[in-house]
Amino acid sequence: DWVDFILFFHKIIDRFEMTKHVNVTFNRFLPDKAMFVEIDQDKITQVLDNIISNALKYSPEGGTITFTVKEKEGFIEISVSDQGLGIPKDNLEKIFERFYRVDKARTRQMGGTGLGLAIAKEMISAHGGDVWAKSKEGKGTTIVFTLPYDSTQEDEWS
Ligand code: ATP
Ligand code: MG
């Protein structure tokens, strides 16, 4: 379906903001205009649910989660940053593998199976996008993904 990604993303963030039970602040840097992308809404909802759940799960008390959408040439770049414990450099690619969890002892108490990001990666790839992680250990994690976007299409909507 063709959807305005900005409105779609705001609604998902709103849902998390209304139901969260931890003291974490949400910060949004989203363009102030509609950006139409062709996506499977259910699948990209699942992608964002997985990424945002992780950000909340690993956020410290009083932390901030930052949501950003940037327009690039031919695609949009979506990122979710937290101020949690971060991910060691050597593990940054492995977290997208099935059942992979950084430091089993550390994450066991957090619950989960280690499938969330593997599923997210599969769905993003199916949309022609890419996903990666950036992190400074002890300072936080940023998950970035892209979706194809054609800005010239916008003319046809106005
Ligand atoms: P599930 O999503 O299946 O409930 P999970 O959250 O452990 O379980 P993934 O979402 O695939 O699995 O994440 C894989 C691993 O990557 C996590 O176990 C955790 O070690 C690490 N990770 C993911 N997101 C973050 C984050 N925001 N901060 C720190 N570590 C993270
Ligand atoms: Mg997860």
Side-chain angles (χ1 to χ4, degrees):
D1 344 348
W2 282 95
V3 292
D4 169 11
F5 188 80
I6 305 306
L7 181 62
F8 169 81
F9 196 17
H10 271 302
K11 283 189 191 158
I12 290 174
I13 302 168
D14 287 344
R15 168 162 54 81
F16 275 92
E17 195 155 41
M18 284 186 294
T19 57
K20 72 182 161 68
H21 48 265
V22 285
N23 175 27
V24 172
T25 303
F26 285 8
N27 212 347
R28 309 180 196 201
F29 295 101
L30 274 59
D32 203 7
K33 63 165 186 179
M35 296 177 89
F36 286 90
V37 290
E38 192 173 22
I39 55 169
D40 180 324
Q41 293 197 61
D42 291 344
K43 294 198 165 131
I44 299 298
T45 297
Q46 206 182 328
V47 165
L48 285 165
D49 281 358
N50 289 342
I51 293 171
I52 300 169
S53 310
N54 285 343
L56 276 170
K57 186 154 76 170
Y58 297 104
S59 274
E61 170 77 12
T64 297
I65 298 178
T66 304
F67 302 90
T68 310
V69 175
K70 284 185 188 155
E71 182 174 350
K72 306 273 170 155
E73 201 153 315
F75 60 95
I76 53 173
E77 199 176 88
I78 302 104
S79 63
V80 178
S81 295
D82 65 61
Q83 299 175 318
L85 71 186
I87 297 167
K89 212 174 175 196
D90 296 342
N91 299 317
L92 279 178
E93 286 171 29
K94 297 200 188 107
I95 61 169
F96 297 99
E97 293 170 10
R98 277 158 200 272
F99 306 116
Y100 187 82
R101 310 191 71 202
V102 179
D103 184 354
K104 302 222 161 34
R106 183 176 84 173
T107 48
R108 191 180 297 123
Q109 57 190 33
M110 298 295 229
T113 54
L115 278 173
L117 288 176
I119 292 168
K121 185 179 180 148
E122 232 169 72
M123 292 181 171
I124 292 163
S125 297
H127 280 78
D130 212 345
V131 60
W132 63 95
K134 299 189 282 190
S135 178
K136 281 215 167 77
E137 250 194 292
K139 294 221 167 145
T141 302
T142 301
I143 304 292
V144 190
F145 71 96
T146 60
L147 288 173
Y149 170 69
D150 178 6
S151 61
T152 60
Q153 285 263 324
E154 236 55 65
D155 303 337
E156 290 161 37
W157 293 90
S158 49

